[in-house]
Amino acid sequence: MKATKPRAIPLSAIPHLDDRSAEVAQIWITDRAGSTVVIDAGVLADAEMFGVLIADTIAHAARAHAAALGIGEAEAAALIWRGLDGARPDIDPAAAARIANHPGGLN
């Protein structure tokens, strides 16, 4: 059986999107060719705050995957975090030292 074609995610039915909303990123996958990610860093210029947005995105993804796969939300979240941890590079010690005095610290 041939897989269905990818489709755009319809946004018109999402009630929270209005003139105060701003698109921050778009993500596409290509079969056997990786991903393409486009980020408008000017929308959310604080890199640390972008990390908070990614954590919130993971929570939304866990809910979506739980519903789609028929598993618990906690299990879906654990799988997503495991994938993220496996793909994350080691932190550059020099970068960690530079942000040690950042208002957000390393936490």
Side-chain angles (χ1 to χ4, degrees):
M1 174 187 260
K2 188 174 182 177
T4 59
K5 282 184 129 181
R7 59 176 174 67
I9 298 170
L11 301 177
S12 59
I14 301 173
H16 303 354
L17 295 179
D18 59 24
D19 59 349
R20 298 172 300 148
S21 303
E23 185 172 63
V24 176
Q26 291 186 1
I27 304 169
W28 298 268
I29 58 168
T30 303
D31 188 28
R32 297 181 187 86
S35 63
T36 300
V37 180
V38 179
I39 298 170
D40 182 349
V43 173
L44 193 60
D46 182 333
E48 190 169 359
M49 197 63 195
F50 188 80
V52 172
L53 177 63
I54 293 299
D56 185 51
T57 301
I58 289 171
H60 287 277
R63 282 191 289 280
H65 280 86
L69 301 175
I71 62 176
E73 199 173 307
E75 182 179 354
L79 289 167
I80 293 168
W81 283 109
R82 184 172 70 182
L84 183 68
D85 287 342
R88 185 174 61 187
D90 291 333
I91 294 175
D92 175 14
R98 284 192 301 276
I99 67 168
N101 293 319
H102 185 273
L106 293 174
N107 296 324

